[in-house]
Amino acid sequence: MRFLASTLLSTDPALSAPGQGEHDRLLATIDLAIWAERLGYDGFGVGERHNPGFLSSSPAVLLSHIAARTSTIRLFTTVTVLSLNDPVRVAEDYAMLDHLSGGRLELVIGKGNDAPSLELFGARQEEQWDRLQEGYELLRRLWREESVTWSGRFRPDLRDATTRPRPYQRPAPVVWHGSASSERSTELAARWGDPLYSANGFQPVEHYLALVRHYRDRLAHHGHDPSAIPLAVGAHSPVIATRSQDAYALARPAFERFRRHPVAARNGFPYESVEDFVARGSALVGSPAQIIDKLLALHAAFGNDLFGIGVEGFFHDDDATTRGHLERFFAEVAPVVRAETDISEYSY
């Protein structure tokens, strides 16, 4: 089993470390990636948002700096909002990152669901899925063909176009599809035989599992072997204590604050208690043995190759507390999950 850490660099005081200015927060993210590599994460991801509530407007730039400060950790975009970006620019920027990282790029694309971003780019919500599909199909060609002639709805036509540099990885880097809400994303991934990243964040696990079942059905429909294509599944940062009741006591106050936060309402957060969140959702709260059982149960349901384990505390008020729980996670939980799942043959 592989483990991925990711961040959106939220500036919301309720969801981020207090007292950090923009400059400090960006530097702290670089330190976080270095720490994640040392701790044992296999990948580090930076999402994309164009919204005053986040600092992650340019993942390619930030990940390039992280590439220079790390050596082995894979570099994910979680996600690149392809519905708002020119595919030509995405092809160029991330091929450059692929070179600067020595072939460690893992591009994750998605539609996005952020209203301020749409307003900033002058895009219409009803066009986002079509923009994503058209943009991805052009991106595929730009990374695989030396000369591309193309026409579409949302950007100027191309004639004999070649983007430089070419990706460092050969064949071209794997492109993951971020999926949270719609079969449009699972269908697009399945059509091309691409891996899927199931967010598994706010909604109950069954919601995401239904999308994954659709994805695997459509993979087979399009002639791909579902067992040969990687799948990633998200989970929240862990709260670990030797006694489960102590873990729940630590998690409960932060859960109650988050449940009343506007972001919870916007995402339809359905849980009434931290116990409910653990039972039906992706929260990791309990003893090491309980969290091992939870992850193995998720793996049995999804058949995933990678877990996205939160690196910024959903339940914690400070960075030191989050890191303490994650250090215990990688000392006591991750080795068992890795041994039990034995997914070592797939290299990201």
Side-chain angles (χ1 to χ4, degrees):
M1 182 60 63
R2 308 292 175 130
F3 294 99
L4 166 70
S6 62
T7 178
L8 284 169
L9 284 81
S10 172
T11 60
D12 188 326
L15 303 176
S16 57
Q20 283 185 330
E22 291 185 353
H23 180 72
D24 292 337
R25 184 70 195 283
L26 291 167
L27 294 181
T29 301
I30 295 161
D31 290 340
L32 187 64
I34 296 168
W35 175 80
E37 179 178 77
R38 185 170 63 248
L39 185 63
Y41 277 105
D42 301 283
F44 188 84
V46 176
E48 179 183 352
R49 289 287 189 276
H50 303 276
N51 180 329
F54 302 89
L55 293 179
S56 53
S57 58
S58 185
V61 175
L62 185 54
L63 287 170
S64 292
H65 193 97
I66 289 169
R69 300 288 304 279
T70 58
S71 58
T72 60
I73 199 165
R74 303 291 292 181
L75 303 174
F76 285 71
T77 66
T78 50
V79 299
T80 293
V81 185
L82 193 55
S83 63
L84 298 179
N85 283 286
D86 186 336
V88 172
R89 191 68 203 180
V90 170
E92 294 172 338
D93 283 349
Y94 286 105
M96 182 71 76
L97 172 57
D98 200 36
H99 277 272
L100 295 176
S101 66
R104 289 187 279 146
L105 169 69
E106 301 280 353
L107 186 67
V108 187
I109 63 167
K111 170 187 69 71
N113 64 350
D114 192 28
S117 298
L118 290 171
E119 294 171 8
L120 193 62
F121 284 85
R124 293 189 298 182
Q125 186 172 10
E126 62 270 20
E127 293 178 345
Q128 277 191 285
W129 285 114
D130 293 337
R131 285 179 175 272
L132 174 66
Q133 180 172 333
E134 179 178 294
Y136 176 57
E137 291 171 359
L138 175 55
L139 174 63
R140 281 185 60 89
R141 291 190 61 192
L142 291 169
W143 270 2
R144 287 165 173 78
E145 301 174 27
E146 289 287 340
S147 180
V148 175
T149 297
W150 175 92
S151 63
R153 292 174 57 196
F154 301 111
R155 61 147 289 122
D157 295 350
L158 299 176
R159 182 175 179 82
D160 299 328
T162 302
T163 56
R164 297 289 183 196
R166 311 303 294 157
Y168 179 86
Q169 296 177 68
R170 288 289 187 269
V174 168
V175 175
W176 298 73
H177 296 247
S179 172
S181 62
S182 172
E183 292 181 355
R184 286 285 302 264
S185 58
T186 51
E187 173 63 31
L188 182 61
R191 175 185 171 189
W192 295 103
D194 293 330
L196 191 76
Y197 190 113
S198 177
N200 201 29
F202 289 99
Q203 298 301 311
V205 167
E206 283 300 320
H207 167 83
Y208 301 100
L209 192 55
L211 288 171
V212 168
R213 292 187 184 116
H214 173 264
Y215 164 65
R216 289 203 165 114
D217 287 346
R218 298 304 293 171
L219 279 171
H221 172 82
H222 289 294
H224 306 293
D225 178 4
S227 67
I229 299 171
L231 176 75
V233 171
H236 290 280
S237 58
V239 179
I240 302 177
T242 301
R243 300 191 318 155
S244 60
Q245 54 265 47
D246 293 335
Y248 278 93
L250 288 169
R252 190 167 288 110
F255 170 84
E256 292 298 332
R257 286 195 301 274
F258 181 80
R259 188 164 68 90
R260 295 187 293 269
H261 194 276
V263 73
R266 287 198 301 271
N267 286 277
F269 193 66
Y271 310 104
E272 293 298 320
S273 68
V274 67
E275 288 83 359
D276 185 29
F277 193 14
V278 171
R280 295 193 296 134
S282 58
L284 303 178
V285 179
S287 68
Q290 287 173 314
I291 292 177
I292 289 168
D293 289 345
K294 174 68 173 283
L295 290 175
L296 291 178
L298 287 171
H299 172 67
F302 283 94
N304 57 306
D305 308 81
L306 183 151
F307 274 117
I309 302 296
V311 74
E312 292 173 319
F314 182 84
F315 292 110
H316 311 308
D317 293 320
D318 62 274
D319 181 62
T321 301
T322 300
R323 291 195 184 198
H325 285 281
L326 286 168
E327 285 167 357
R328 189 166 183 182
F329 176 90
F330 275 95
E332 301 179 45
V333 175
V336 179
V337 174
R338 281 176 166 149
E340 291 291 329
T341 53
D342 190 28
I343 299 169
S344 57
E345 69 275 9
Y346 184 81
S347 177
Y348 293 96

